[in-house]
Amino acid sequence: MILSKATISFVCVLLLVSIFMANLLNIIATDHNFYLENKNEGMNHTRYLSKKYGQITDTTKNIIWFLQISDIHISIFRDPGRITQFQQFCDSTVKKIKPLVVLATGDLTDAKAKDNLGSSQVQKEWIYYHNIIKESGVIEETVWLDIRGNHDNFNIKTLSSQENYFRNYSVQGSTHVKSYVHYENQNDVNVAFLGIDACPEPGLRRPFNFIGILDVKEQENIQKLKAESENKADHIIWFGHYPTSCILSLKRDGQNFDLRQQIGSSRPTQVYVCGHLHAMGGLVPRMYTKQKKGYLELELGDWKDNRMFRLAAIDHGFFSFVDQKHNTWPLVLVTNPKHARYAMSGREPIQLIPDSTHIRILAFSDVDIDTVKISFDKISWMKCRVADGPLYVCKWLPNLFSTGIHILFVVVTDEHGKTAVIEHPFSLDGTLVNFEVTPRILLMLDAGAVFQCTFATLLIINVMPLVILRLQKNPPRYRRSIWNYVHRRVWLLSKIDRLFYPIVLYALYTPLGPWAVGELIDGYVGVIFAWGIIIKGVFLPEPFTYMYGSVQLMFVQIPLIFVLAYCLDTRLFSINVRGIKRLLKNLPFIFLLSIQLLLAYFFWLEYGTMAFLLGPLRTWSVPLSILLWYKICTLPPEYCR
């Protein structure tokens, strides 16, 4: 039996999809057993932690807690609540919780113009940030560790330039130029907080500042800080603005610098916390995963729109955390037993949990806590007693929960009657709760590679069908279907030289030629290509350019093919239509032209007049589209027939 072309095509597509899905699932797999690959090293480390901390009881030793806040985006143009509630956070929340450290992981200010498109550092926003921290006295209560985000790096020529207000108005900027480490040894817990500054130099204006870049100098600095931390601390908490999926490392001596490998190869490492993705506008509120090297990566939802912050703790060597909305009380964190999803074999002394004598819970509120009670079945409840401060404990019998997943229910009530109800899954035999798929994709893939693949796919879709149809001599068979109607019109479009060549050549130009020439930083002219940006004699391999080009291909170039094919059909079969009917026939082109004009206008606001005039990607595509439409409108029908 001879297989049809359609069947063969379907099988090939199915095979390609299967290969793609297999590779994707392998990349985002979180069940990779890093502990078994490094069993001896892991056993030595956890044995050391077990010996140091001993049995988990009701003691108030061996526990510390800290806070994280990210993407504050202090702005003088929009949402004054960001400033006032950030002041409440410093004045009240931090002082109620009394954390050892507060991590402020980037985008401290908004740095966007009033039109929300232009971008540059605004000194007044930095003054607000500085004054709130200073006047609240928060740095007298705790250690404030802040680091730059991409918004804090907009339109900055060099680290030493006057516009780099992070140096003068942040807490750590005057001491640490970029990445740094801070040590704390309190309550018998020795921890290093290692901050990664991946902001590229120079700092371009938006949107070409989405991906962080680690140059060779910063790679060496990070390796030095890591080696120092391994010798001085039992636990390393890495923090930064960009997720590891959004950080590009430049090659050094022909070798790739793998940031995830660097983070994960350090046995004391437990977690990398970050921001930047804003929980995808709140659509992915739990953006957490476990990287293949066995450590957690946790993105925190933004303060900007969602007013989120994170409470984290290290208790007897176990890292625990909870994300909470501002002014939502009580705040509850179970530190023993460890949450089943976030257990890290080889990095935490898991063997201590089955031998522990007490359940341990941190509970905070803006008023005094009234009761903390727990249950395993929601029927019989046990009241916890306060050990000291926010730590509440309750005796338990771990041997009753030796296999499988179990749920610990916690109810905390304060003296004003506000209640928090927590469901806490745990296991004592190593059974894990799976991470959600979407966060794994966002945090474990390489964003730059995804942008490149998206751009290449759309480019192929833009060019290949036209080329194939041009090589097809006979027109598609006439059938009464929308697909066949579109197929025939696009086939005809591909046969007309004055339309085919401009469309294809412009699409082929996008991965090769410059997209714009203009002031990408105030006072400095740069050139934007698909594969990177050249400015100040420096080449920045900013992968977000591929996504920027993908927008043009997806919303302009590919639709343009179908709109021109429709206009061609109108020219051939509605040649006598006049007046309002003719206008209605051209509405698809008018709508598409409006989109192009809007994109070009936005580009002008972002990068100025020079980039607008010398912008083949956004600006020049407008007259090209008008020219092609005009050629169709004036095309003799006999030419097509």
Side-chain angles (χ1 to χ4, degrees), residues 338-393:
K338 176 71 183 275
H339 195 294
R341 177 177 287 133
Y342 309 118
M344 293 177 280
S345 296
R347 297 186 182 276
E348 299 173 315
I350 303 294
Q351 61 272 22
L352 292 182
I353 301 177
D355 296 328
S356 63
T357 60
H358 288 74
I359 289 171
R360 296 163 65 85
I361 300 168
L362 290 173
F364 305 88
S365 187
D366 56 343
V367 294
D368 291 339
I369 297 293
D370 186 21
T371 59
V372 176
K373 57 183 182 178
I374 64 168
S375 174
F376 297 100
D377 55 13
K378 285 190 173 181
I379 299 173
S380 55
W381 291 88
M382 296 177 287
K383 190 174 180 179
C384 298
R385 66 176 177 84
V386 60
D388 186 28
L391 180 63
Y392 289 77
V393 297

Side-chain angles (χ1 to χ4, degrees), residues 283-448:
L283 297 176
V284 190
R286 296 172 297 278
M287 198 179 296
Y288 320 134
T289 193
K290 183 188 290 182
Q291 294 289 356
K292 291 188 181 296
K293 288 298 178 181
Y295 67 92
L296 297 175
E297 180 164 346
L298 311 173
E299 197 265 0
L300 173 62
D302 61 276
W303 180 269
K304 173 187 174 185
D305 296 317
N306 296 301
R307 305 296 192 269
M308 297 298 295
F309 70 94
R310 171 174 293 152
L311 168 66
I314 298 176
D315 186 4
H316 285 77
F318 293 93
F319 174 84
S320 304
F321 75 98
V322 62
D323 292 350
Q324 189 91 337
K325 199 171 183 68
H326 176 62
N327 258 346
T328 303
W329 303 99
L331 173 60
V332 184
L333 176 60
V334 179
T335 63
N336 184 63
K338 176 71 183 275
H339 195 294
R341 177 177 287 133
Y342 309 118
M344 293 177 280
S345 296
R347 297 186 182 276
E348 299 173 315
I350 303 294
Q351 61 272 22
L352 292 182
I353 301 177
D355 296 328
S356 63
T357 60
H358 288 74
I359 289 171
R360 296 163 65 85
I361 300 168
L362 290 173
F364 305 88
S365 187
D366 56 343
V367 294
D368 291 339
I369 297 293
D370 186 21
T371 59
V372 176
K373 57 183 182 178
I374 64 168
S375 174
F376 297 100
D377 55 13
K378 285 190 173 181
I379 299 173
S380 55
W381 291 88
M382 296 177 287
K383 190 174 180 179
C384 298
R385 66 176 177 84
V386 60
D388 186 28
L391 180 63
Y392 289 77
V393 297
C394 183
K395 284 187 176 181
W396 75 319
L397 299 174
N399 59 293
L400 299 179
F401 312 97
S402 57
T403 59
I405 299 291
H406 302 273
I407 305 294
L408 171 66
F409 300 96
V410 182
V411 176
V412 178
T413 306
D414 65 21
E415 64 179 11
H416 283 177
K418 297 190 294 291
T419 300
V421 181
I422 305 297
E423 293 186 14
H424 182 81
F426 68 95
S427 71
L428 304 185
D429 63 351
T431 305
L432 299 175
V433 176
N434 291 329
F435 288 87
E436 297 173 25
V437 173
T438 304
R440 286 154 56 188
I441 291 174
L442 292 170
L443 296 177
M444 299 182 76
L445 292 180
D446 182 341

